[in-house]
Amino acid sequence: MASSTTHAPVLKQPVKLACVQLAAGPDKTANLLHAADKVREAASAGAKIVVLPECFNSPYGCDHFPSYAETLLPSPPSRDQSPSFHALSAMARDNGVYLIGGSIPELATTTTTGPGESEVKKTYYNTSLTFSPTGELLTTHRKVHLFDIDIPGKFRFRESDVLSPGNKLTMVDLPEYGRVGIAICYDVRFPELAMIAARKGCFALIYPGAFNMTTGPLHWQLLARARAVDNQVYVALCSPARDMSAGYHAWGHSLVVDPMAQVLVEAEEKEAVVVAELDGNKIEEARKGIPLRDQRRFDVYPDVSQGKVNFEEP
Ligand SMILES: NC(=O)CCC(=O)C(=O)O
C-alpha cells in the first residue's frame, strides 16, 4: 500500500506572510485608507503575501451587507462601482505584494425582461479578491458555506438571510512561490475544501475570517491546526480586531500555523500585524516524517479530489 513516491516541492522558496488584524469602523473610506497603511506596514516587515480580514471595509453583519456592497462585474469595475477593488489593487501594486483582500459584500444584479417589463434581481455575496504585486486581479472567491448557526441562549447568526453562497473552490498560482487555496471564515469548518486544495498542490490555505466570542475561543485555533495537520500545509486565518462598540464582536487572534500544526504567530484581540515565514522544507519534513500522502488507502475510500470538483484551474 505505502510507496515512497517522489513529490515536487509545493513551495518554491521561503516567503513571509502577514495577517493584518484590522480595526475597521462604519466609515468605508476611512477603512480603506487605514487598510492601506497597515498593508504598507506588513510589506515593510518583509511580507510578500498579505492577508486582510473578512468584511475589512465595513462592520460585519447582515444589516450592513447591502449598504456596503459593491458591484464587481464587469471586471474591472469602475471606481464608483467598487472603490474597494481599486484600493486593493493600489495597495498590492504600491507595495509589490500578493494581497488576499479579505472580503467585501458583493452585489450582483441580473435583469430579466418579460413582456413589457424588466425586473432587476439583486444577489449579495461575501467575496474575497486577490491581487498580484502589479495590481492585477488574480481571482475571486465567493464564500461557499454561509454562516448560519444557532446555539441556543448563546449565539445565532444567519448570513443566508441576506447572502447567497458561491459555488466554486478557489486556488491561485503565485508564480515565484506556488499555489494557495483561498476560502472565507465558516468555509474553514469544511475539511473537504481544504483537502482538495492541498491535494491539488497548495502550500497554504488562507482564510479571511471573523469568528465570534462563543465559537472563537473553542474552535478558531483548533480548526486552523486541524486543517494544517490533516493536510500538512500552512494555514493562515485573518480576523478583524475586536470592537466592543460594534454589533458583532470578532474573536481576533489572527494566526499562522505550520504543517506540523504549530502556531507560529497569533495576535490577541486588538489591532495587529502578525508575520510568519513559510518554508517549503517544513512541508517536506512533515510529509517525510509522517508520510500520509503515500499511506492513503484510496482502495478503501476513493479520492474525492480526483472526482468532479467545481474549480477553475489557476
Ligand atoms: N463569519 C463567519 O463565517 C463566522 C464563523 C464562525 O464564527 C464559526 O463559528 O464558524
Side-chain angles (χ1 to χ4, degrees):
M1 240 63 62
S3 65
S4 51
T5 318
T6 315
H7 298 280
V10 289
L11 174 54
K12 295 177 194 167
Q13 57 171 314
V15 59
K16 283 190 180 164
L17 178 146
C19 291
V20 174
Q21 184 162 294
L22 196 74
D27 181 338
K28 188 195 278 189
T29 307
N31 292 336
L32 293 176
L33 289 169
H34 187 50
D37 285 345
K38 289 289 162 184
V39 170
R40 193 174 315 116
E41 185 181 323
S44 308
K48 294 289 178 202
I49 303 174
V50 180
V51 188
L52 289 168
E54 183 176 27
C55 289
F56 79 96
N57 72 7
S58 66
Y60 177 73
C62 287
D63 293 347
H64 301 296
F65 296 138
S67 51
Y68 285 86
E70 300 182 11
T71 306
L72 299 173
L73 293 172
S75 190
S78 69
R79 282 177 195 277
D80 285 347
Q81 284 176 303
S82 185
S84 301
F85 178 104
H86 291 278
L88 287 167
S89 168
M91 289 177 220
R93 190 186 54 239
D94 293 350
N95 296 290
V97 297
Y98 288 101
L99 182 60
I100 320 300
S103 76
I104 61 169
E106 177 195 352
L107 166 64
T109 51
T110 43
T111 309
T112 47
T113 17
E117 60 188 39
S118 63
E119 195 189 331
V120 178
K121 183 169 176 275
K122 292 183 172 182
T123 309
Y124 295 97
Y125 300 97
N126 187 339
T127 303
S128 180
L129 305 173
T130 296
F131 289 88
S132 75
T134 52
E136 278 167 295
L137 180 69
L138 294 178
T139 193
T140 62
H141 176 78
R142 288 173 170 164
K143 191 174 190 173
V144 170
H145 304 92
L146 295 182
F147 178 41
D148 284 2
I149 68 168
D150 188 357
I151 306 175
K154 294 200 169 149
F155 190 82
R156 183 174 185 280
F157 203 95
R158 275 186 64 82
E159 271 190 327
S160 66
D161 283 347
V162 178
L163 301 179
S164 295
N167 55 17
K168 72 163 179 67
L169 183 148
T170 302
M171 295 176 294
V172 62
D173 285 332
L174 319 180
E176 310 88 313
Y177 305 113
R179 183 172 284 188
V180 298
I182 298 165
I184 301 176
C185 203
Y186 198 60
D187 285 335
V188 75
R189 288 189 180 271
F190 297 85
E192 295 83 353
L193 278 188
M195 177 193 75
I196 293 167
R199 298 227 185 117
K200 300 274 181 208
C202 291
F203 67 85
L205 308 174
I206 299 175
Y207 300 88
F211 268 44
N212 59 84
M213 300 292 287
T214 302
T215 59
L218 283 170
H219 296 159
W220 172 261
Q221 194 194 93
L222 175 72
L223 286 164
R225 296 185 66 204
R227 297 298 81 88
V229 77
D230 280 353
N231 298 296
Q232 301 177 307
V233 291
Y234 286 95
V235 173
L237 267 53
C238 183
S239 170
R242 191 177 307 157
D243 175 359
M244 293 310 283
S245 70
Y248 184 91
H249 302 152
W251 171 236
H253 289 264
S254 299
L255 48 72
V256 182
V257 178
D258 82 3
M260 287 294 273
Q262 292 193 80
V263 177
L264 296 179
V265 283
E266 180 168 358
E268 296 181 347
E269 76 285 358
K270 51 189 182 302
E271 188 166 72
V273 175
V274 290
V275 184
E277 180 160 279
L278 317 191
D279 179 348
N281 291 326
K282 298 283 176 208
I283 300 176
E284 304 319 319
E285 273 167 29
R287 292 178 176 185
K288 199 164 170 221
I290 309 176
L292 303 179
R293 277 181 311 182
D294 299 328
Q295 294 168 337
R296 286 224 155 78
R297 294 286 310 273
F298 290 128
D299 56 325
V300 177
Y301 38 81
D303 182 1
V304 295
S305 74
Q306 297 303 320
K308 183 174 168 0
V309 177
N310 260 1
F311 75 102
E312 291 150 12
E313 194 67 58

